[in-house]
Amino acid sequence: MASILVLFCCCLLKGQVKKTNQDEEAKAKKTAVKFTESTIKTDEKTPKRRATKKKVASDNMVQAGSKIQAWWRGTLLRRTLLHAALRAWIIQCWWRQIRARQLEKRRREALEFYKLQIWDTVKLQSWVRMWLVRKRYRAVLKAVHIIQDHWRGHICQFHDTFQGSYELTGGHLQLQLDIFLGAQVCRIIDCIPFPIKD
């Protein structure tokens, strides 16, 4: 778009310069023809008038030449300024595109860095949570093992540890007592007589 606009401006500028150059050349030719006609007419008249007419004509030529030179300098200056403005505009458009690309690249890099930071944070948090869960699980497991060991020891020590039976016959008490000590069994059998008074 920018290159089309620049080409369009350059074409317009060249066309205007050519047109103005052609107009100025035509004006210059007309003034030259008028000057030659006036000099021819003055040559036919008296020599005194001829000298004054030549002075006036030369003054007119100097003024016309200075006007043409001023116009041409102005045209060159305008053309130079227009070319400079177009070049500055092209450079500004190019720089804006470069800056937009740089900003987009920085934005992408910042997003990628932010994404990596978030991913690393999530990973670290998951590791910490997993470590805490494992630590809690091990503590609970240790407590379960301790409770199980105590319960098993309690069962071995006190459950069915003493078992006994007795029988009363006449004046005797017959007693049978079984004591369980782990895998061993101790059996006590005794007969106790009662003193009976008549």
Side-chain angles (χ1 to χ4, degrees):
M1 182 72 183
S3 59
I4 293 171
L5 184 62
V6 170
L7 288 174
F8 180 70
C9 289
C10 289
C11 290
L12 283 177
L13 180 66
K14 286 180 183 176
Q16 286 178 354
V17 170
K18 284 181 184 177
K19 190 174 180 181
T20 52
N21 286 343
Q22 289 172 356
D23 291 341
E24 291 300 321
E25 287 174 7
K27 285 180 184 177
K29 283 181 185 177
K30 284 180 183 178
T31 53
V33 169
K34 285 181 183 177
F35 177 71
T36 53
E37 287 176 0
S38 64
T39 52
I40 291 170
K41 286 179 183 175
T42 54
D43 286 341
E44 295 171 357
K45 296 180 183 175
T46 60
K48 203 175 201 183
R49 281 187 178 171
R50 208 181 287 163
T52 57
K53 289 255 181 173
K54 278 185 181 178
K55 266 188 179 179
V56 171
S58 66
D59 289 340
N60 288 341
M61 283 292 284
V62 169
Q63 286 178 355
S66 65
K67 282 184 181 179
I68 291 170
Q69 287 176 352
W71 172 84
W72 181 247
R73 286 190 199 110
T75 303
L76 286 175
L77 184 63
R78 281 191 294 275
R79 186 192 300 172
T80 306
L81 290 175
L82 183 62
H83 282 301
L86 286 173
R87 287 177 185 141
W89 182 72
I90 290 169
I91 290 169
Q92 286 173 353
C93 290
W94 170 79
W95 180 244
R96 284 187 197 116
Q97 288 177 353
I98 294 293
R99 283 199 62 192
R101 284 186 205 142
Q102 286 176 348
L103 286 173
E104 186 65 29
K105 186 178 177 184
R106 285 181 192 159
R107 198 174 293 134
R108 268 194 227 124
E109 288 174 355
L111 283 173
E112 286 292 324
F113 183 68
Y114 181 68
K115 189 171 85 174
L116 285 174
Q117 278 184 333
I118 287 178
W119 179 248
D120 292 341
T121 306
V122 168
K123 228 178 185 181
L124 190 62
Q125 285 175 349
S126 69
W127 286 347
V128 169
R129 284 191 197 109
M130 191 173 16
W131 177 74
L132 289 173
V133 166
R134 283 182 180 171
K135 186 178 174 185
R136 178 75 181 146
Y137 175 73
R138 285 179 185 161
V140 169
L141 196 62
K142 187 176 178 183
V144 166
H145 285 307
I146 290 170
I147 291 169
Q148 284 177 347
D149 289 344
H150 283 304
W151 183 252
R152 286 177 188 145
H154 176 72
I155 288 173
C156 289
Q157 287 177 1
F158 299 107
H159 185 66
D160 290 337
T161 309
F162 296 101
Q163 190 175 12
S165 62
Y166 64 93
E167 206 176 324
L168 197 56
T169 56
H172 295 292
L173 175 66
Q174 193 172 5
L175 182 67
Q176 180 181 355
L177 185 64
D178 296 330
I179 300 172
F180 297 94
L181 298 171
Q184 298 175 353
V185 178
C186 179
R187 183 168 285 172
I188 299 171
I189 300 173
D190 198 6
C191 187
I192 301 171
F194 284 147
I196 299 174
K197 292 181 180 179
D198 292 329

